Amino acid sequence: MAIVEKKLEKKRKGRKKIPDYLVYEILDNKKIYYRDYKKVLSGELPPEAIMGSSDLHAWIIDLILQVLYKNLNLSKFKILVGEVGYFYTPSRSKKWLNLDIAIVSKEKLQKPQGTYLKIPPEVVIEVDTKADLSEIGNEYYIAKTERLLKSGIKRVIWIFTDVKKIQIAEAKKPWIIVDYDYEFEIIDSIKINLGKLIKEEE
């Protein structure tokens, strides 16, 4: 027994601690790391190389923002972008998720305090993810969506660029997965056809 314990202790000591800056999100009690974080640990890549967004990601975000800024009632809503940190539990403990686009009610929004968002947005739009899914797999998308909806967010929209699909989820309603050229509502009757917008830009 003592030999086994010594081996386990040696294994624990030999295991390299993962720095906090490589934590992308904390989903429930599980730390989710940035994709390719292991390459940072091995020295193959600098941290900045795994934290930035791709040109496709930024392009799609821009297309959506153009529609929102043109049609959304900006006296009623605030649009927050750029991996907005969101404390999703009432206790506001150190559990957060990152949001690509968050549409927040101005009535609920507090004056910026230099911390993560503490109130649930009305709508969240996510384009792919920077998360490492090697352990959690595609269950990540379901778990994150459920957690966001449970926190009080009314609609969560995922855009998957690799398969050109869009998932639209609302609390107590069936979730749907549609193609890029499906016109869907974001908020307040503002609709978008992502496939059409992309073709117009090409």
Side-chain angles (χ1 to χ4, degrees):
M1 180 66 73
I3 295 173
V4 173
E5 288 177 354
K6 284 181 180 179
K7 284 184 177 179
L8 288 172
E9 183 66 24
K10 187 176 180 181
K11 188 176 180 181
R12 280 194 290 266
K13 286 181 179 179
R15 188 180 296 162
K16 194 171 184 180
K17 186 179 184 301
I18 302 174
D20 287 342
Y21 65 80
L22 292 178
V23 177
Y24 178 64
E25 297 174 315
I26 296 183
L27 182 53
D28 292 324
N29 293 316
K30 183 176 179 58
K31 288 183 179 180
I32 306 293
Y33 298 99
Y34 278 93
R35 188 191 311 119
D36 290 332
Y37 76 96
K38 291 179 182 178
K39 291 184 179 180
V40 174
L41 294 177
S42 67
E44 293 178 61
L45 292 173
E48 298 79 13
I50 67 170
M51 296 176 182
S53 298
S54 70
D55 56 353
L56 179 59
H57 180 279
W59 186 46
I60 288 178
I61 292 287
D62 178 66
L63 289 176
I64 295 169
L65 289 177
Q66 287 184 50
V67 173
L68 289 175
Y69 280 121
K70 184 178 178 181
N71 298 284
L72 189 64
N73 183 347
L74 298 178
S75 64
K76 182 179 177 183
F77 297 105
K78 185 75 174 175
I79 305 170
L80 304 178
V81 295
E83 297 289 357
V84 180
Y86 169 50
F87 288 127
Y88 57 85
T89 58
S91 62
R92 296 172 186 172
S93 60
K94 292 183 179 179
K95 293 182 181 180
W96 77 91
L97 294 170
N98 289 319
L99 314 175
D100 283 330
I101 300 176
I103 303 174
V104 188
S105 166
K106 279 193 171 181
E107 187 178 353
K108 300 176 185 176
L109 190 62
Q110 297 175 340
K111 182 180 178 182
Q113 299 173 346
T115 183
Y116 285 174
L117 192 64
K118 297 174 183 176
I119 55 104
E122 303 298 300
V123 176
V124 163
I125 303 173
E126 294 282 277
V127 180
D128 297 326
T129 184
K130 296 187 185 77
D132 174 73
L133 304 182
S134 60
E135 291 185 20
I136 191 172
N138 287 332
E139 290 179 15
Y140 164 83
Y141 299 108
I142 296 173
K144 180 171 179 176
T145 302
E146 287 179 338
R147 171 50 69 184
L148 291 174
L149 292 174
K150 189 177 178 180
S151 76
I153 295 170
K154 296 175 182 175
R155 182 174 295 157
V156 178
I157 300 164
W158 278 96
I159 297 170
F160 304 114
T161 61
D162 55 345
V163 292
K164 293 183 170 57
K165 296 287 183 180
I166 300 167
Q167 175 185 280
I168 304 164
E170 295 181 58
K172 299 180 181 179
K173 287 186 180 181
W175 299 5
I176 64 171
I177 296 177
V178 297
D179 294 325
Y180 262 23
D181 58 359
Y182 178 89
E183 185 176 75
F184 65 92
E185 181 180 351
I186 298 177
I187 189 172
D188 273 12
S189 299
I190 298 172
K191 295 184 178 181
I192 187 171
N193 183 320
L194 187 59
K196 183 179 178 182
L197 290 176
I198 290 173
K199 287 177 183 177
E200 289 174 353
E201 287 278 312
E202 290 176 344

